[in-house]
Amino acid sequence: MSKETKEAREILISIDELESRVAVLEGGRLLEIYISREERQVGSIYKGKVTNVLPGMQAAFVDIGLERNAFLCVDDVSARLGTEEVIDEIKEFSIKDMLKVNQESPVQIVKESIGGKGARVTTHITLPGRYLVFLPTARYIGISRRIDDEEERNRLRLMVEKIKPRNMGVIVRTAAEGRDVDDLKKDLEFLTRLWDKIQTSAKRKKAPALIHQELALVYKTVILRCVPTE
């Protein structure tokens, strides 16, 4: 499939005390719209330390340096161990066989803290790019369900299989439809460099510590949609 003609892209931004709104236009047509009513912690990555393991709840509490310890359930620990098939096989494992008190690990916030509850975290790290989502702790390839043309899905899968790092995973985003291998490769190289920086930060810092701050809505949109990844 030939690469689509690139059209002029604009980003319209509106910010007030209550919310931020970002609209992405391409060729004068609305492509995407994002609304954020607060600066979110979801997506930020911390070097956490396990403070308590609860086999009865199949969960653990992790100190990530915030006011309340984060909550880590067994399914979110399992996700980092491999492919979806492996996850299915270990669902009966006890969390005490996977985590120990004082164990340190990078964790990513997947749900904000609410009321008296701490944030929910996972060890399955995801780093979203322009065309791909990089999964450094997984090994599978996923394709956006919005790409429904089977030939295009197979084309994208074959390209990703050639460029993705061994023993790591990738999800192909809807925006990748019609793109060539160079576009995907540049995006993936940007994300792997980011992962290297996160790992370096984790080695240098003592838990609990923030090792990757999720960008605010406006800056994230500008970087992912407009800034070249070379």
Side-chain angles (χ1 to χ4, degrees):
M1 181 178 293
S2 60
K3 186 176 179 179
E4 60 186 19
T5 302
K6 293 183 178 179
E7 297 180 293
R9 180 167 293 182
E10 298 177 277
I11 292 183
L12 306 181
I13 298 171
S14 173
I15 301 175
D16 58 33
E17 294 182 355
L18 298 178
E19 66 180 24
S20 300
R21 297 168 291 275
V22 179
V24 181
L25 284 71
E26 191 169 80
R29 299 188 303 273
L30 180 64
L31 186 66
E32 298 174 61
I33 186 167
Y34 304 94
I35 299 175
S36 176
R37 290 180 172 82
E38 59 182 28
E39 292 303 327
R40 299 171 61 83
Q41 295 175 329
V42 171
S44 293
I45 301 172
Y46 293 79
K47 183 177 183 179
K49 178 183 286 188
V50 178
T51 59
N52 199 4
V53 179
L54 307 172
M57 295 177 60
Q58 285 288 66
F61 287 101
V62 183
D63 182 5
I64 59 175
L66 299 182
E67 183 178 355
R68 298 179 180 85
N69 287 342
F71 182 78
L72 176 63
C73 74
V74 67
D75 289 340
D76 290 322
V77 179
S78 304
R80 75 184 300 223
L81 300 181
T83 64
E84 292 171 324
E85 290 75 19
V86 174
I87 295 172
D88 289 338
E89 291 176 3
I90 62 176
K91 281 183 178 179
E92 300 305 319
F93 280 25
S94 172
I95 195 167
K96 69 179 182 180
D97 299 322
M98 304 184 215
L99 293 176
K100 307 296 180 185
V101 173
N102 293 325
Q103 180 177 337
E104 297 182 358
S105 174
V107 293
Q108 186 171 38
I109 294 182
V110 294
K111 186 175 182 181
E112 301 276 351
S113 58
I114 300 177
K117 297 182 179 180
R120 180 167 175 172
V121 296
T122 178
T123 61
H124 181 79
I125 307 299
T126 61
L127 299 175
R130 190 178 303 175
Y131 306 120
L132 306 172
V133 178
F134 183 46
L135 312 173
T137 58
R139 292 197 294 266
Y140 61 88
I141 296 175
I143 309 290
S144 169
R145 293 180 181 178
R146 293 186 179 181
I147 302 176
D148 53 14
D149 182 89
E150 197 61 32
E151 183 178 347
E152 174 66 358
R153 292 176 65 87
N154 290 334
R155 186 186 74 90
L156 291 168
R157 182 179 296 277
L158 288 173
M159 286 196 299
V160 171
E161 286 177 349
K162 293 178 180 179
I163 64 174
K164 85 172 186 70
R166 185 180 179 184
N167 294 328
M168 293 185 179
V170 170
I171 295 174
V172 179
R173 305 184 70 176
T174 308
E177 188 170 11
R179 297 291 172 173
D180 60 30
V181 68
D182 287 339
D183 289 329
L184 303 189
K185 187 175 181 180
K186 289 174 184 177
D187 202 32
L188 187 56
E189 288 173 349
F190 169 77
L191 294 172
T192 52
R193 288 196 300 269
L194 175 59
W195 177 236
D196 288 341
K197 291 179 182 178
I198 292 170
Q199 289 182 297
T200 299
S201 178
K203 291 177 182 178
R204 291 177 177 173
K205 294 183 178 181
K206 183 178 180 181
L210 174 68
I211 55 177
H212 173 68
Q213 176 68 58
E214 178 68 355
L215 295 174
L217 173 66
V218 171
Y219 297 108
K220 185 175 182 179
T221 304
V222 171
I223 287 177
L224 294 183
R225 299 300 172 189
C226 295
V227 178
T229 55
E230 295 91 326

